[in-house]
Amino acid sequence: MGKYVLGVDLGTSAVKVSAVDHAGQIVAQESFDYDLIQKQPGYNEQNPEDWVSGTTVAIVRLILNDHLAAEDIEGLSFSGQMHGLVLLDENNKVLRPSILWNDTRSTPQREEIEVKMGDRFVDITRNQPLEGFTLTKLLWVKENEPEIWAKAKTFVLPKDYVRYRMTGNLAMDYSDATGTVLLDVAKGVWSQEVCEAFDIPLSLCPPLIQSIDFAGTVTPAYAEFSGLTTATKVYGGAADNAAGAVGAGILHPNMVLSSIGTSGVVLKYEDNADVNYHGVVQFEDHAIPNKYYSMGVTLAAGYSLSWFKKTFAPAEEFTDVVASAGKSTVGANGLLYTPYIVGERAPYADADIRGSFTGIDGTHQRYDFVRAVLEGIVYSFKDLFDIYEENGGDFDTVVSIGGGAKSPLWLQIQADIFNRKVVSLKNEQGPGMGAAMIAATGLGWFDSLQDCAETFVHFGKAYKPNPENVAKYAKMHAIYSQVYQQTKAISAQLLDYRRTELTSL
């Protein structure tokens, strides 16, 4: 029998635990679902105990059902859902359900931060104080639940709480700490200036560790609970986006990630903290010590295509709908789609903007609309690429994952619009693989995450830009870039109309 590491991917709806061997092969995988607590619109919470129980059940299943010997599991690490607030008392007991990343109750607190600190806040944290980040949640509790706040002695994020329950040690890794927007990113310490501005005790912030740092061994109590041995070593782990970047091999300055899920993410490796995007894109610590990444989000990337299929081709296979775009032309015969159907985050932080098809005439066929959707999603990514280029970003390889990596046509569209080589992964496993790579590197199986990637990460076919298509897409993207400003006011008026109509019903 070989030796294994476990990658614990702690998501919003489920935890998935993967057992990975020295060759980077997943030998077994188990998962466990848990529920959201939604007390009212905009509220999204979870019971931290559900994360602990779910993770433990998945590990027990690996040992009992998949017949992994506990003594062969040398170590484990985490990928964790970001930003979720877990408040602990003086005995490290949970004070209230965790307020999650997708909870939107804290708009007044976001506005308070903007008024009080303005651009200074962005200079320190490199991020805007969005509702999703942890600081706004801390302030909400402080202002709305003073009896809870009075008992709070420390806070952690979701994966950090599970790690604490395994090892008895409290800590937070840098990649997750950046997402709290309490970290001074350039200095790599909790920001005393931010804490003092909002009357938050600096002691509330936990010790900081690197993602690959040793965080402790499994305690006797957790060993009995899970079936692991007390020799199992636990490592810091990373925020899900950082772990996903590791799992996709985004470990060098020349690489950018293009991820098309329900939302879309463009993520770029950053060699140092010198660049300042002024909060237009998020800036975070990477899982690699003293390295960083930046990322922008398109809210309705894959969701745009799902919406289109559900509305106009409900009975057809997804792959057939996407493939039909091949009947159209580069530029979809002059048809443009903007994917703002649920608002937008980057580069336009605009909740009221709405999507559009522009340039429709009587000759367009359904396949032109499909092509326009595929291209429109990638144009929105190109907006973020342009920000990187304006700030001196130098990269030549795009790693495509998610829905955009499942279609050769869509991969070529990305290569032509980005004017970069685009590659997919042969065995796409996402953040869970990144967590396993962190554990393997921490254990010393490899000298660095980059060395680990040479064994664990395998790229597929490379799609290279076609110069003729690149030129055509450059013209179309220039037109696309004007649509936001032209439709912003109209979108807001239409949204007001809809809200008024709904209120009058």
Side-chain angles (χ1 to χ4, degrees), residues 158-200:
K159 76 171 191 334
D160 305 315
Y161 180 70
V162 177
R163 186 185 342 98
Y164 160 70
R165 290 289 298 276
M166 287 183 174
T167 65
N169 300 322
L170 281 173
M172 186 182 298
D173 83 285
Y174 280 92
S175 71
D176 249 344
T178 328
T180 68
V181 289
L182 272 166
L183 191 76
D184 185 320
V185 173
K187 295 179 180 177
V189 297
W190 295 114
S191 172
Q192 185 169 345
E193 183 176 343
V194 173
C195 285
E196 288 180 352
F198 301 102
D199 195 23
I200 294 172

Short mmCIF file of all heavy atoms in Angstrom, two decimals, residues 158-200:
data_model
loop_
_atom_site.label_atom_id
_atom_site.label_comp_id
_atom_site.label_asym_id
_atom_site.label_seq_id
_atom_site.Cartn_x
_atom_site.Cartn_y
_atom_site.Cartn_z
N PRO A 158 -14.34 29.47 7.86
CA PRO A 158 -14.85 28.09 7.95
C PRO A 158 -13.81 27.00 8.04
O PRO A 158 -13.83 26.17 8.96
CB PRO A 158 -15.70 27.98 6.67
CG PRO A 158 -16.26 29.36 6.50
CD PRO A 158 -15.12 30.28 6.87
N LYS A 159 -12.86 26.94 7.12
CA LYS A 159 -11.88 25.86 7.15
C LYS A 159 -11.00 25.94 8.41
O LYS A 159 -10.56 24.92 8.93
CB LYS A 159 -11.00 25.87 5.90
CG LYS A 159 -9.96 26.94 5.91
CD LYS A 159 -8.96 26.84 4.80
CE LYS A 159 -7.79 27.75 4.97
NZ LYS A 159 -7.97 28.97 5.77
N ASP A 160 -10.78 27.17 8.88
CA ASP A 160 -9.95 27.35 10.08
C ASP A 160 -10.61 26.75 11.31
O ASP A 160 -9.93 26.23 12.20
CB ASP A 160 -9.67 28.83 10.32
CG ASP A 160 -9.05 29.52 9.12
OD1 ASP A 160 -8.13 28.94 8.53
OD2 ASP A 160 -9.50 30.62 8.78
N TYR A 161 -11.94 26.83 11.35
CA TYR A 161 -12.65 26.24 12.48
C TYR A 161 -12.56 24.72 12.43
O TYR A 161 -12.33 24.07 13.46
CB TYR A 161 -14.11 26.68 12.50
CG TYR A 161 -14.85 26.08 13.68
CD1 TYR A 161 -14.56 26.49 14.97
CD2 TYR A 161 -15.78 25.05 13.50
CE1 TYR A 161 -15.21 25.92 16.07
CE2 TYR A 161 -16.42 24.48 14.58
CZ TYR A 161 -16.13 24.91 15.87
OH TYR A 161 -16.75 24.33 16.94
N VAL A 162 -12.70 24.13 11.25
CA VAL A 162 -12.58 22.67 11.12
C VAL A 162 -11.17 22.24 11.50
O VAL A 162 -10.97 21.25 12.22
CB VAL A 162 -12.94 22.21 9.70
CG1 VAL A 162 -12.74 20.70 9.56
CG2 VAL A 162 -14.38 22.57 9.36
N ARG A 163 -10.17 23.01 11.05
CA ARG A 163 -8.78 22.68 11.40
C ARG A 163 -8.57 22.76 12.91
O ARG A 163 -7.88 21.92 13.50
CB ARG A 163 -7.82 23.63 10.67
CG ARG A 163 -6.38 23.25 10.89
CD ARG A 163 -5.32 24.16 10.33
NE ARG A 163 -5.69 25.10 9.33
CZ ARG A 163 -5.99 26.38 9.58
NH1 ARG A 163 -5.98 26.84 10.81
NH2 ARG A 163 -6.29 27.20 8.58
N TYR A 164 -9.16 23.77 13.54
CA TYR A 164 -9.06 23.89 15.00
C TYR A 164 -9.66 22.66 15.69
O TYR A 164 -9.08 22.12 16.64
CB TYR A 164 -9.78 25.16 15.47
CG TYR A 164 -10.13 25.12 16.93
CD1 TYR A 164 -9.14 25.19 17.92
CD2 TYR A 164 -11.46 24.97 17.35
CE1 TYR A 164 -9.46 25.13 19.26
CE2 TYR A 164 -11.79 24.90 18.69
CZ TYR A 164 -10.78 24.97 19.64
OH TYR A 164 -11.11 24.89 20.98
N ARG A 165 -10.79 22.20 15.20
CA ARG A 165 -11.43 21.05 15.82
C ARG A 165 -10.61 19.77 15.63
O ARG A 165 -10.67 18.85 16.44
CB ARG A 165 -12.84 20.87 15.27
CG ARG A 165 -13.81 21.96 15.71
CD ARG A 165 -14.17 21.85 17.19
NE ARG A 165 -14.83 20.58 17.45
CZ ARG A 165 -16.13 20.37 17.28
NH1 ARG A 165 -16.92 21.36 16.86
NH2 ARG A 165 -16.66 19.18 17.53
N MET A 166 -9.81 19.74 14.57
CA MET A 166 -8.93 18.58 14.34
C MET A 166 -7.68 18.63 15.21
O MET A 166 -7.22 17.59 15.70
CB MET A 166 -8.52 18.52 12.88
CG MET A 166 -9.59 18.09 11.91
SD MET A 166 -8.88 18.00 10.24
CE MET A 166 -10.27 17.31 9.34
N THR A 167 -7.12 19.83 15.39
CA THR A 167 -5.79 19.95 15.99
C THR A 167 -5.78 20.63 17.36
O THR A 167 -4.79 20.52 18.09
CB THR A 167 -4.86 20.77 15.08
OG1 THR A 167 -5.38 22.12 14.99
CG2 THR A 167 -4.79 20.18 13.67
N GLY A 168 -6.83 21.38 17.68
CA GLY A 168 -6.84 22.16 18.91
C GLY A 168 -6.10 23.48 18.81
O GLY A 168 -5.97 24.19 19.80
N ASN A 169 -5.61 23.83 17.59
CA ASN A 169 -4.84 25.05 17.41
C ASN A 169 -5.59 26.04 16.52
O ASN A 169 -6.09 25.66 15.45
CB ASN A 169 -3.48 24.74 16.76
CG ASN A 169 -2.65 23.80 17.61
OD1 ASN A 169 -2.65 23.90 18.83
ND2 ASN A 169 -1.94 22.88 16.97
N LEU A 170 -5.65 27.30 16.94
CA LEU A 170 -6.31 28.34 16.17
C LEU A 170 -5.31 29.07 15.28
O LEU A 170 -4.22 29.45 15.74
CB LEU A 170 -6.98 29.35 17.10
CG LEU A 170 -8.32 28.95 17.72
CD1 LEU A 170 -8.75 29.99 18.75
CD2 LEU A 170 -9.39 28.80 16.65
N ALA A 171 -5.68 29.29 14.03
CA ALA A 171 -4.83 30.05 13.11
C ALA A 171 -5.65 30.36 11.86
O ALA A 171 -6.73 29.79 11.64
CB ALA A 171 -3.59 29.25 12.73
N MET A 172 -5.14 31.29 11.06
CA MET A 172 -5.73 31.59 9.75
C MET A 172 -4.59 31.76 8.76
O MET A 172 -3.59 32.41 9.07
CB MET A 172 -6.57 32.87 9.81
CG MET A 172 -7.33 33.17 8.52
SD MET A 172 -8.27 34.73 8.60
CE MET A 172 -9.42 34.39 9.93
N ASP A 173 -4.74 31.18 7.57
CA ASP A 173 -3.68 31.34 6.58
C ASP A 173 -3.86 32.68 5.86
O ASP A 173 -4.93 33.29 5.86
CB ASP A 173 -3.70 30.18 5.57
CG ASP A 173 -4.71 30.42 4.47
OD1 ASP A 173 -5.92 30.26 4.74
OD2 ASP A 173 -4.29 30.78 3.37
N TYR A 174 -2.78 33.14 5.23
CA TYR A 174 -2.77 34.46 4.62
C TYR A 174 -3.79 34.61 3.49
O TYR A 174 -4.38 35.69 3.32
CB TYR A 174 -1.37 34.80 4.10
CG TYR A 174 -0.43 35.27 5.18
CD1 TYR A 174 0.38 34.37 5.87
CD2 TYR A 174 -0.36 36.61 5.53
CE1 TYR A 174 1.24 34.81 6.88
CE2 TYR A 174 0.50 37.06 6.53
CZ TYR A 174 1.29 36.15 7.20
OH TYR A 174 2.14 36.59 8.20
N SER A 175 -4.00 33.56 2.69
CA SER A 175 -4.92 33.71 1.56
C SER A 175 -6.34 33.98 2.03
O SER A 175 -7.07 34.76 1.42
CB SER A 175 -4.88 32.47 0.65
OG SER A 175 -5.47 31.34 1.26
N ASP A 176 -6.75 33.35 3.13
CA ASP A 176 -8.07 33.64 3.69
C ASP A 176 -8.07 34.95 4.46
O ASP A 176 -9.07 35.68 4.49
CB ASP A 176 -8.53 32.50 4.61
CG ASP A 176 -9.70 31.72 4.03
OD1 ASP A 176 -10.35 32.23 3.10
OD2 ASP A 176 -9.97 30.60 4.51
N ALA A 177 -6.95 35.28 5.10
CA ALA A 177 -6.88 36.53 5.86
C ALA A 177 -7.06 37.75 4.96
O ALA A 177 -7.69 38.74 5.36
CB ALA A 177 -5.54 36.61 6.60
N THR A 178 -6.53 37.69 3.74
CA THR A 178 -6.72 38.81 2.82
C THR A 178 -8.20 39.06 2.57
O THR A 178 -8.63 40.20 2.46
CB THR A 178 -6.04 38.54 1.46
OG1 THR A 178 -4.89 37.74 1.66
CG2 THR A 178 -5.66 39.82 0.78
N GLY A 179 -8.97 37.97 2.48
CA GLY A 179 -10.40 38.08 2.19
C GLY A 179 -11.24 38.58 3.35
O GLY A 179 -12.44 38.81 3.19
N THR A 180 -10.63 38.77 4.51
CA THR A 180 -11.37 39.39 5.61
C THR A 180 -11.40 40.90 5.45
O THR A 180 -12.19 41.58 6.09
CB THR A 180 -10.71 39.08 6.97
OG1 THR A 180 -9.42 39.73 7.05
CG2 THR A 180 -10.55 37.59 7.20
N VAL A 181 -10.51 41.46 4.62
CA VAL A 181 -10.19 42.88 4.46
C VAL A 181 -9.85 43.55 5.80
O VAL A 181 -10.15 44.70 6.03
CB VAL A 181 -11.28 43.68 3.68
CG1 VAL A 181 -11.27 43.30 2.23
CG2 VAL A 181 -12.67 43.56 4.28
N LEU A 182 -9.16 42.79 6.61
CA LEU A 182 -8.55 43.33 7.84
C LEU A 182 -7.03 43.24 7.78
O LEU A 182 -6.36 43.63 8.73
CB LEU A 182 -9.05 42.56 9.06
CG LEU A 182 -10.35 43.06 9.71
CD1 LEU A 182 -10.91 42.01 10.66
CD2 LEU A 182 -10.11 44.37 10.44
N LEU A 183 -6.50 42.73 6.67
CA LEU A 183 -5.06 42.52 6.55
C LEU A 183 -4.41 43.68 5.80
O LEU A 183 -4.93 44.14 4.79
CB LEU A 183 -4.79 41.21 5.81
CG LEU A 183 -3.33 40.71 5.83
CD1 LEU A 183 -3.01 40.10 7.19
CD2 LEU A 183 -3.10 39.67 4.74
N ASP A 184 -3.28 44.13 6.32
CA ASP A 184 -2.43 45.05 5.56
C ASP A 184 -1.63 44.18 4.61
O ASP A 184 -0.67 43.51 5.01
CB ASP A 184 -1.51 45.82 6.52
CG ASP A 184 -0.69 46.88 5.82
OD1 ASP A 184 -0.21 46.62 4.69
OD2 ASP A 184 -0.52 47.96 6.39
N VAL A 185 -2.03 44.18 3.35
CA VAL A 185 -1.49 43.21 2.39
C VAL A 185 0.00 43.41 2.16
O VAL A 185 0.77 42.46 2.13
CB VAL A 185 -2.28 43.28 1.06
CG1 VAL A 185 -1.62 42.41 -0.01
CG2 VAL A 185 -3.73 42.84 1.27
N ALA A 186 0.44 44.65 1.99
CA ALA A 186 1.85 44.90 1.71
C ALA A 186 2.74 44.52 2.90
O ALA A 186 3.83 43.99 2.71
CB ALA A 186 2.06 46.37 1.35
N LYS A 187 2.26 44.74 4.13
CA LYS A 187 3.06 44.44 5.31
C LYS A 187 2.88 43.02 5.81
O LYS A 187 3.71 42.51 6.57
CB LYS A 187 2.71 45.42 6.44
CG LYS A 187 3.06 46.88 6.13
CD LYS A 187 2.66 47.80 7.29
CE LYS A 187 3.01 49.24 6.99
NZ LYS A 187 2.56 50.15 8.08
N GLY A 188 1.80 42.35 5.40
CA GLY A 188 1.56 40.98 5.82
C GLY A 188 1.20 40.83 7.28
O GLY A 188 1.54 39.83 7.92
N VAL A 189 0.51 41.83 7.83
CA VAL A 189 0.07 41.78 9.24
C VAL A 189 -1.36 42.29 9.32
O VAL A 189 -1.85 42.99 8.42
CB VAL A 189 0.98 42.65 10.16
CG1 VAL A 189 2.40 42.11 10.17
CG2 VAL A 189 0.94 44.12 9.72
N TRP A 190 -2.03 41.95 10.42
CA TRP A 190 -3.36 42.52 10.65
C TRP A 190 -3.23 44.03 10.76
O TRP A 190 -2.29 44.54 11.38
CB TRP A 190 -3.97 41.96 11.93
CG TRP A 190 -4.27 40.48 11.88
CD1 TRP A 190 -3.67 39.51 12.62
CD2 TRP A 190 -5.24 39.82 11.05
NE1 TRP A 190 -4.20 38.27 12.31
CE2 TRP A 190 -5.17 38.44 11.34
CE3 TRP A 190 -6.16 40.26 10.10
CZ2 TRP A 190 -5.98 37.50 10.70
CZ3 TRP A 190 -6.96 39.33 9.46
CH2 TRP A 190 -6.87 37.96 9.77
N SER A 191 -4.15 44.74 10.15
CA SER A 191 -4.05 46.20 10.10
C SER A 191 -4.57 46.84 11.38
O SER A 191 -5.77 46.84 11.66
CB SER A 191 -4.85 46.75 8.91
OG SER A 191 -4.89 48.16 8.95
N GLN A 192 -3.65 47.41 12.15
CA GLN A 192 -4.04 48.12 13.36
C GLN A 192 -4.88 49.35 13.01
O GLN A 192 -5.83 49.70 13.73
CB GLN A 192 -2.80 48.52 14.16
CG GLN A 192 -3.13 49.15 15.50
CD GLN A 192 -1.90 49.31 16.39
OE1 GLN A 192 -0.86 48.71 16.13
NE2 GLN A 192 -2.02 50.11 17.43
N GLU A 193 -4.55 49.98 11.89
CA GLU A 193 -5.28 51.19 11.48
C GLU A 193 -6.75 50.88 11.18
O GLU A 193 -7.65 51.61 11.61
CB GLU A 193 -4.61 51.80 10.24
CG GLU A 193 -5.26 53.10 9.79
CD GLU A 193 -4.53 53.75 8.63
OE1 GLU A 193 -3.36 53.39 8.37
OE2 GLU A 193 -5.13 54.62 7.97
N VAL A 194 -7.01 49.79 10.46
CA VAL A 194 -8.39 49.41 10.16
C VAL A 194 -9.12 49.01 11.44
O VAL A 194 -10.26 49.42 11.68
CB VAL A 194 -8.44 48.27 9.12
CG1 VAL A 194 -9.88 47.77 8.94
CG2 VAL A 194 -7.88 48.74 7.78
N CYS A 195 -8.46 48.20 12.27
CA CYS A 195 -9.09 47.76 13.52
C CYS A 195 -9.45 48.96 14.41
O CYS A 195 -10.57 49.02 14.96
CB CYS A 195 -8.17 46.80 14.27
SG CYS A 195 -8.09 45.14 13.56
N GLU A 196 -8.52 49.91 14.54
CA GLU A 196 -8.78 51.07 15.39
C GLU A 196 -9.90 51.95 14.81
O GLU A 196 -10.70 52.52 15.56
CB GLU A 196 -7.51 51.88 15.56
CG GLU A 196 -6.48 51.21 16.46
CD GLU A 196 -5.21 52.02 16.62
OE1 GLU A 196 -5.06 53.04 15.89
OE2 GLU A 196 -4.36 51.66 17.46
N ALA A 197 -9.96 52.04 13.49
CA ALA A 197 -10.98 52.88 12.86
C ALA A 197 -12.39 52.41 13.18
O ALA A 197 -13.33 53.22 13.25
CB ALA A 197 -10.78 52.91 11.35
N PHE A 198 -12.55 51.08 13.41
CA PHE A 198 -13.88 50.53 13.65
C PHE A 198 -14.01 49.89 15.02
O PHE A 198 -14.92 49.11 15.26
CB PHE A 198 -14.22 49.55 12.53
CG PHE A 198 -14.19 50.19 11.17
CD1 PHE A 198 -13.10 49.99 10.33
CD2 PHE A 198 -15.21 51.03 10.78
CE1 PHE A 198 -13.06 50.62 9.09
CE2 PHE A 198 -15.17 51.66 9.55
CZ PHE A 198 -14.09 51.46 8.70
N ASP A 199 -13.08 50.24 15.91
CA ASP A 199 -13.13 49.79 17.30
C ASP A 199 -13.22 48.27 17.40
O ASP A 199 -14.05 47.72 18.13
CB ASP A 199 -14.32 50.44 18.02
CG ASP A 199 -14.20 50.33 19.54
OD1 ASP A 199 -13.08 50.16 20.03
OD2 ASP A 199 -15.25 50.38 20.22
N ILE A 200 -12.35 47.60 16.66
CA ILE A 200 -12.24 46.14 16.72
C ILE A 200 -10.94 45.79 17.43
O ILE A 200 -9.86 46.21 16.99
CB ILE A 200 -12.24 45.53 15.30
CG1 ILE A 200 -13.59 45.77 14.61
CG2 ILE A 200 -11.94 44.04 15.34
CD1 ILE A 200 -13.61 45.37 13.15
#
